[in-house]
Amino acid sequence: MGYNLILLGPPGAGKGTQAKLLIERYCIPQISTGDILRAAVKDQTQSGARAKEFMDRGALVPDDLVIEIIKDRLSLADTAAGFILDGFPRTVAQADALAVMLKSNGKSIDHVISMTVDNEELVKRVIGRLTCRGCGKGYHQIFDPPAVKGVCSACGAELYQRDDDKEETMRSRLLTYESQTAPLIKYYSSLGLLRPVDGLGSIQEINDTLAKVLEG
Ligand code: AP5
Ligand code: MG
Ligand code: ZN
């Protein structure tokens, strides 16, 4: 089995946090549609302008836009030995499009790691999150603080609070997840690719569990 991975889970489940650890362990890139979209918003590109209104209200950005982003990203050479899709696919249409694009390159998904955490814990995690402007690494004011306040321990850049990490927007994101993304659990389960992982526990414990699942 290879390392063509999907991290599936609600907002705050720990997809980004675990992806950063998997990069180090397996030397494969993290592909986060959320990070790519936030960079596009910041750079004021056309797709960034289009995406922003959806992101600000906790809705999904249209499928065609994210599918295009992923198609471009997966065509880069650094994905040859594997990749971690973080936050993509998020709809059945995206999952179908992914299968088609991988097949045309003679590839397929090896594991879909499905992380579950209850909603109240998710809200606590997201409300207290700090994100690095440089490398996108996430921290938490209480659960995972940086060594130096306001500064990324990995790259030294400034930490900020994401625009959509307000309680109200987070509640919309959870509803969006339930209605549009949760159906992917069944979708990948029926393909025999689903690897359910309890997302509660320490960051290190969960990382160890992931390694067992991937190397098992
Ligand atoms: P995106 O950036 O993907 O956000 P998300 O899915 O809402 O997920 P998060 O990044 O909030 O959570 P995470 O699971 O990465 O958690 P993290 O590891 O940071 O998407 C943003 C928006 O972009 C979407 O709303 C949508 O509009 C758009 N978008 C993106 N992809 C799209 C797509 N494919 N289609 C359409 N639209 C798309 O952890 C969270 C916090 O918890 C951190 O503070 C962390 O330190 C802490 N933490 C992590 N693990 C633990 C632990 N074990 N114990 C305690 N605290 C922990
Ligand atoms: Mg994330
Ligand atoms: Zn950083």
Side-chain angles (χ1 to χ4, degrees), residues 132-137 139 152-157 159:
C132 175
R133 275 199 204 286
C135 69
K137 186 172 169 7
Y139 294 85
C152 178
S153 311
C155 79
L159 303 182

Side-chain angles (χ1 to χ4, degrees), residues 15-17 32 35 38 86 129 162:
K15 304 181 294 293
T17 303
S32 159
D35 286 353
R38 276 184 291 280
D86 161 6
R129 170 166 49 194
R162 264 167 54 177

Side-chain angles (χ1 to χ4, degrees), residues 19-197:
K20 298 283 186 218
L21 296 172
L22 293 174
I23 295 176
E24 289 170 24
R25 208 189 262 258
Y26 300 107
C27 300
I28 50 175
Q30 169 196 19
I31 303 176
S32 159
T33 36
D35 286 353
I36 295 169
L37 290 168
R38 276 184 291 280
V41 170
K42 183 167 163 257
D43 296 343
Q44 299 180 306
T45 67
Q46 219 175 353
S47 32
R50 194 174 157 212
K52 190 176 185 319
E53 55 156 321
F54 297 96
M55 297 172 79
D56 282 348
R57 56 185 164 86
L60 293 185
V61 166
D63 286 335
D64 65 309
L65 206 163
V66 282
I67 289 168
E68 207 49 48
I69 287 175
I70 288 294
K71 205 179 257 174
D72 289 348
R73 185 60 188 85
L74 284 177
S75 72
L76 301 186
D78 67 345
T79 60
F83 49 78
I84 308 158
L85 290 173
D86 161 6
F88 181 95
R90 264 171 142 101
T91 62
V92 169
Q94 290 178 23
D96 287 339
L98 174 66
V100 171
M101 71 179 94
L102 288 175
K103 197 168 177 208
S104 73
N105 295 323
K107 294 184 181 182
S108 59
I109 292 296
D110 298 301
H111 305 277
V112 177
I113 294 159
S114 166
M115 305 172 72
T116 39
V117 175
D118 62 88
N119 281 5
E120 288 324 299
E121 171 74 11
L122 292 172
V123 171
K124 275 188 223 156
R125 286 187 183 182
V126 162
I127 303 283
R129 170 166 49 194
L130 298 167
T131 303
C132 175
R133 275 199 204 286
C135 69
K137 186 172 169 7
Y139 294 85
H140 191 281
Q141 283 163 353
I142 299 157
F143 306 144
D144 185 22
V148 178
K149 197 173 173 221
V151 180
C152 178
S153 311
C155 79
E158 180 201 12
L159 303 182
Y160 76 107
Q161 186 172 31
R162 264 167 54 177
D163 285 341
D164 59 348
D165 282 350
K166 302 182 190 86
E167 177 154 1
E168 202 190 314
T169 319
M170 175 55 178
R171 300 268 174 205
S172 320
R173 286 158 62 198
L174 287 171
L175 293 174
T176 302
Y177 173 81
E178 278 310 321
S179 61
Q180 294 181 261
T181 308
L184 292 179
I185 295 175
K186 243 192 181 152
Y187 178 104
Y188 284 116
S189 174
S190 68
L191 293 173
L193 294 174
L194 200 77
R195 317 283 179 251
V197 168

